[in-house]
Amino acid sequence: MPTRSLPVPDALEGTRVDAALARMLGFSRTFAADVTDAGGVLLDGRTATKSDRLRAGSWLEVTWEDRRDPEVVPLAVPDLGIVYEDDDIVVVDKPAGVAAHPSVGWEGPTVLGALAAAGVHTATTGAAERQGVVHRLDVGTSGLMVVAKTERAYTALKRAFKEREVDKIYHTVVQGHPDPLAGTIDAPIGRHPSHSWKFAVTPHGKDSITHYRTLEAFPGASLLEIELETGRTHQIRVHMAAHRHPCAGDPLYGADPTLSARLGLTRQWLHARELSFDHPATGERVRFTSEYPADLAHALDVLRGT
């Protein structure tokens, strides 16, 4: 097992252990938290927790077990639809329960694995387990994703997402009725201070902007159209929860389990409905749409009383 012993520099005074390990050893924040949770970090001779704050001059001893990079395993996903495909890109309609790409700890199906099983070759740029992926959807979120098949497409699409030139429209059912019925949530998002797998509105997070408008109101819930200006992890779920209107079916961010049960939801009511961007080869603006999957459509029927 690799082991490192090192002093805490002045610049990291007051920093959380997991954040400091990420900066000092190049770990991901999640991996740093996992190493700490496993008892692999000693701070001045005592076992540290990931939320401990460091003091300059203290001594860290870190022991960890290297992780093997996840691999793309071809695995057919019958419910994954290919909406569009040409020599440069493939647009898929991802069902819930499918990850965008392999990751440590995830053993379920992935978009890249499904494409590989279907004989679709993607770009080779980027980490081996993320080749061709230019944006992601949460495992529990359904809807549209574009994957690059060529290096030209990968470079162009990555730039377009970074420069906010891609229009991303989502639909979500949230609890209650947002006031005002349409508006913008501009609040920075970062990792939750006490939960490794959650995110939150935090003072030092990354800028995050969500535009919303109410499409339909029901007793105790609303159907919203969301346009993302940025693309942070869990952005819609975090912003709506911070706005006191969590996505229905999303217990991680405070959804009412009674409403979730009434609507028959086992995941958040959140769907990537539309995706528009300049085609990386032709420059022509292309637009794709996705219908609601059966579980989300059923929940809407219940709300509408149909």
Side-chain angles (χ1 to χ4, degrees):
M1 286 187 180
T3 299
R4 290 284 302 276
S5 298
L6 60 171
V8 176
D10 293 344
L12 294 183
E13 172 78 35
T15 304
R16 283 171 52 112
V17 166
D18 53 357
L21 292 182
R23 293 177 61 180
M24 297 169 75
L25 298 177
F27 293 166
S28 71
R29 184 73 174 266
T30 299
F31 184 59
D34 289 346
V35 169
T36 312
D37 287 342
V41 180
L42 297 181
L43 178 59
D44 290 332
R46 68 171 182 83
T47 302
T49 69
K50 62 191 175 189
S51 58
D52 284 345
R53 301 284 175 172
L54 297 180
R55 291 180 298 174
S58 293
W59 201 262
L60 280 171
E61 296 177 57
V62 187
T63 303
W64 69 95
E65 185 173 344
D66 283 332
R67 287 177 167 173
R68 299 179 63 182
D69 291 335
E71 299 178 352
V72 174
V73 177
L75 178 64
V77 179
D79 293 338
L80 184 139
I82 294 182
V83 177
Y84 174 84
E85 182 182 5
D86 61 23
D87 291 341
D88 292 277
I89 62 173
V90 56
V91 178
V92 302
D93 199 344
K94 185 187 85 67
V98 178
H101 57 74
S103 61
V104 174
W106 175 254
E107 298 181 354
T110 67
V111 169
L112 290 186
L115 290 175
V120 178
H121 298 285
T122 58
T124 58
T125 304
E129 74 278 9
R130 300 188 185 187
Q131 291 177 357
V133 173
V134 292
H135 70 126
R136 291 176 288 178
L137 296 178
D138 296 341
V139 170
T141 299
S142 53
L144 297 170
M145 275 184 61
V146 58
V147 179
K149 295 177 63 177
T150 65
E151 312 313 309
R152 171 180 64 180
Y154 182 87
T155 300
L157 288 172
K158 286 293 284 187
R159 184 201 62 78
F161 274 96
K162 182 178 180 181
E163 298 299 323
R164 304 179 184 179
E165 297 172 355
V166 178
D167 293 330
K168 298 166 288 183
I169 305 295
Y170 294 74
H171 285 188
T172 183
V173 169
V174 300
Q175 295 176 194
H177 307 115
D179 183 13
L181 295 177
T184 296
I185 303 172
D186 185 349
I189 291 176
R191 288 195 174 272
H192 195 285
S194 58
H195 297 279
S196 298
W197 299 104
K198 289 182 66 174
F199 291 78
V201 170
T202 60
H204 304 294
K206 296 180 180 179
D207 67 302
S208 307
I209 302 173
T210 300
H211 307 286
Y212 71 90
R213 69 184 181 96
T214 301
L215 298 178
E216 200 170 349
F218 316 100
S222 303
L223 174 64
L224 307 184
E225 181 170 274
I226 304 283
E227 183 171 3
L228 291 184
E229 193 167 317
T230 53
R232 309 304 177 203
T233 302
H234 296 184
Q235 179 172 324
I236 295 172
R237 300 163 66 189
V238 170
H239 270 175
M240 296 319 301
H243 206 48
R244 298 184 179 179
H245 298 287
C247 298
D250 190 6
L252 184 64
Y253 289 103
D256 178 1
T258 302
L259 177 62
S260 301
R262 183 166 72 87
L263 300 182
L265 291 172
T266 58
R267 51 104 168 191
Q268 65 265 15
W269 204 115
L270 181 57
H271 186 67
R273 176 77 164 176
E274 298 181 20
L275 189 62
S276 304
F277 53 89
D278 293 340
H279 191 285
T282 67
E284 177 186 358
R285 194 71 175 175
V286 292
R287 174 177 173 269
F288 305 96
T289 61
S290 167
E291 298 301 318
Y292 302 145
D295 60 336
L296 302 190
H298 169 76
L300 272 183
D301 288 342
V302 173
L303 287 170
R304 290 168 177 157
T306 58

